Amino acid sequence: MDKIEHIGIAVKSLRDASPLYERLLGYKSYKTEQVASENVITEFFKVGDSKIELLEASCDESAIHGFIQKRGEGIHHIAFAVDDIVKEMARLKSVGFQLLSDHPRIGADNKLVCFVHPKSSHGVLIELCQEIK
Ligand code: ZN
């Protein structure tokens, strides 16, 4: 794993949360993106080499909606950048982690992504992401 690529934060409303992060960081987000496959709308802020990803549910079936219902707003996942996601998925499997999918999926911000089940990582949802070149 190379670095923490971003930290995902579940919010009820980007309209409310985005201005707060603009005030916090002192600048605007660089991208808003609807990820239909995940039922989320995301907004990204650059923070040095890493990013903050705000996540709003786009419908009640969204995992973000379920997360907020259960745990409230807050940190949802930590994403690590990897060079070869397929290789890293195989490595994590071989050392006992449970992955949420067998194959990488297309995620936000031009990335292939895969998630590690929080049950196998002390309650933290971990995302692997690889830049699509
Ligand atoms: Zn993410």
Side-chain angles (χ1 to χ4, degrees):
M1 308 237 193
D2 296 335
K3 61 168 186 181
I4 294 180
E5 212 280 334
H6 64 268
I7 294 176
I9 298 174
V11 301
K12 285 182 189 162
S13 157
L14 287 175
R15 213 182 51 196
D16 292 341
S18 180
L20 181 139
Y21 277 87
E22 284 177 7
R23 284 205 305 278
L24 175 78
L25 298 167
Y27 48 83
K28 290 188 180 306
S29 67
Y30 70 92
K31 183 192 261 187
T32 303
E33 187 180 348
Q34 177 126 20
V35 187
S37 59
E38 306 283 348
N39 296 322
V40 295
I41 306 161
T42 64
E43 188 160 350
F44 284 93
F45 292 82
K46 277 209 166 76
V47 187
D49 235 10
S50 296
K51 297 161 191 163
I52 297 283
E53 175 186 35
L54 301 181
L55 300 139
E56 178 190 309
S58 59
C59 65
D60 287 356
E61 284 70 49
S62 169
I64 294 300
H65 178 75
F67 177 88
I68 289 174
Q69 293 288 105
K70 227 163 94 181
R71 297 170 69 165
E73 293 182 295
I75 292 180
H76 177 259
H77 64 269
I78 296 176
F80 293 95
V82 298
D83 275 341
D84 183 340
I85 195 167
V86 173
K87 196 171 131 194
E88 202 59 30
M89 286 168 72
R91 186 184 73 81
L92 291 184
K93 256 192 198 168
S94 75
V95 293
F97 288 95
Q98 188 188 334
L99 306 180
L100 288 182
S101 62
D102 289 331
H103 304 284
R105 295 206 304 244
I106 307 268
D109 205 27
N110 193 42
K111 300 279 194 300
L112 287 173
V113 302
C114 173
F115 289 90
V116 176
H117 199 296
K119 270 185 193 155
S120 65
S121 44
H122 294 269
V124 178
L125 179 63
I126 290 171
E127 175 185 340
L128 308 179
C129 60
Q130 178 196 324
E131 184 107 45
I132 300 171
K133 281 163 189 152

